[in-house]
């Protein structure tokens, strides 16, 4: 059993060394955690609302990124508004702050994270905090801190408090020596970005903690995720989001990848549903702890062709970014997600035509609202 060892002295220290609450003085990860005021949420009703014994209490780290807000909305519909806490180190926009519990959480601050988990009786931890591929290459030191040190913190806290821990992985966890068409769940992984290296590290550490300490670790390798209500976050697949905004607003787009660059992609609603499904899946049906998931694979050229079926005036030029192109050329072209489909019934809803129609509907309505304002 792992637990926090608080940095105390004198009599208090002797009390902590006594075998209380079922803890044994073996297999201990020593962490220095001092006492401080408890975490206080902005809504006093948060602690008073009964969640019911069958509902988890969820904490989402890095919650203001591309996926966190959408996943919080889905989980709140499933488990109740006050059972899902969104967290980040940034100030949330008003609509996010008013939609449900939001608190400050720095994954590099172990004590802060411990307090949040304990004070809010968290049972599921969804760890979205990370620097993405292109941003990580521009700041390797920060990416190492956030993606690796932060990971170690959540792993230790999850074991200590018996949490179910979900950490997303990515197509960036593969490299040029991996099988690319298709890429299976198990194959050589030798990524050449700090983002990819940190994700392989997360997969292996999560599986190690599962086998060594019984951690309920679950992981999905996401393809490129496309959503209309969030801005690109510095990933190599961002072109497939930005193109819709430009197509609606200016009818012009500059693509930074070659027209024949094939990558696996997924619409955000499929991604969020897959995350909920694997979190809810009974442990006994999971044959592995890290799964590929996918929905479609396309090239910029194929995406442009489909968009032009709706917006024939779209003009596209190519200005290849050598860094992003090199990353894309090392990633899978098609993900083999047969294990996810057979083990827990994964099935996507959106193919390329449905994706394009939905994205244009979203971005078109947003554009019309902006013009009206």
């Amino acid at each position: 059993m792992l637990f926090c060892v608080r940095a105390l002295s004198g009599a208090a220290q002797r009390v902590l060394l006594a075998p209380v609450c079922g803890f044994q003085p073996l297999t201990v990860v020593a962490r220095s955690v001092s006492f401080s005021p408890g975490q206080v949420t902005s809504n006093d009703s948060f602690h008073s609302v009964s969640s019911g014994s069958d509902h988890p209490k969820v904490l989402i780290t890095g919650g203001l990124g591309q996926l966190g807000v959408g996943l919080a909305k889905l989980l709140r519909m499933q488990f109740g508004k006050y059972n899902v806490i969104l967290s980040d180190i940034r100030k949330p926009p008003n609509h996010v702050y008013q939609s449900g519990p939001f608190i400050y959480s720095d994954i590099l601050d172990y004590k802060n994270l411990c307090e949040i988990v304990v004070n809010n009786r968290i049972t599921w931890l969804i760890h979205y905090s990370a620097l993405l591929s292109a941003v990580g290459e521009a700041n390797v030191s920060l990416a190492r801190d956030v993606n690796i040190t932060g990971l170690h913190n959540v792993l230790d806290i999850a074991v200590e408090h018996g949490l179910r821990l979900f950490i997303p992985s990515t197509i960036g966890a593969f490299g040029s020596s991996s099988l690319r068409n298709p890429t299976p769940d198990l194959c050589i992984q030798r990524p050449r970005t700090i983002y990819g290296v940190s994700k392989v590290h997360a997969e292996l550490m999560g599986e190690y903690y599962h086998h060594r300490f019984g951690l309920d670790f679950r992981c999905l390798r996401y393809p490129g995720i496309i959503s209309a209500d969030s801005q690109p976050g510095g990933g190599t697949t961002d072109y497939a989001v930005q193109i819709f905004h430009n197509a609606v607003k200016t009818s012009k787009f500059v693509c930074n990848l070659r027209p024949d660059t094939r990558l696996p992609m997924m619409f955000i609603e499929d991604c969020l549903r897959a995350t909920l499904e694997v979190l809810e899946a009974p442990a006994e049906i999971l044959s592995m702890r890290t799964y590929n998931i996918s929905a479609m694979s396309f090239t910029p050229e194929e995406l442009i062709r489909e968009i032009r079926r709706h917006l024939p005036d779209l003009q596209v030029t190519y200005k290849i970014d050598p860094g992003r192109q090199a990353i894309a050329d090392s990633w899978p072209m098609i993900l083999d997600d047969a294990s996810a489909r057979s083990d827990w019934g994964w099935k996507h809803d959106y193919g390329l035509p449905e994706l394009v129609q939905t994205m244009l509907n979203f971005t078109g309505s947003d554009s019309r609202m902006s013009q009206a304002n």
Side-chain angles (χ1 to χ4, degrees), residues 228 231-232 238-256 307 311 313-317 359-360 363-364 367 371:
Q231 293 299 312
D238 279 353
Y239 86 89
V241 177
Q242 191 63 53
I243 189 173
F244 288 99
H245 296 281
N246 287 35
V248 169
K249 293 177 182 177
T250 68
S251 296
K252 295 179 180 180
F253 179 66
V254 178
C255 184
N256 54 26
I307 293 175
L311 299 174
D313 294 333
L314 174 62
Q315 301 176 32
V316 178
T317 56
M359 285 292 291
L360 290 176
T363 53
S367 178
Q371 291 173 3

Side-chain angles (χ1 to χ4, degrees), residues 299-371:
T299 66
E301 188 174 45
E302 291 169 348
L303 176 59
I304 292 163
R305 185 183 308 126
E306 186 66 31
I307 293 175
R308 281 176 173 159
R309 288 164 52 91
H310 305 268
L311 299 174
D313 294 333
L314 174 62
Q315 301 176 32
V316 178
T317 56
Y318 290 91
K319 185 178 180 180
I320 310 305
D321 180 326
R324 294 194 184 212
Q325 186 64 56
I327 293 172
D329 288 342
S330 71
W331 284 358
M333 299 170 68
I334 296 175
L335 277 179
D336 180 356
D337 60 357
S339 295
R341 293 176 186 270
S342 62
D343 283 5
W344 43 276
W346 161 243
K347 183 180 179 181
H348 68 276
D349 288 336
Y350 291 82
L352 182 56
E354 295 83 8
L355 166 72
V356 169
Q357 180 68 69
T358 304
M359 285 292 291
L360 290 176
N361 288 344
F362 273 122
T363 53
S365 62
D366 286 348
S367 178
R368 287 191 292 272
M369 289 177 62
S370 298
Q371 291 173 3

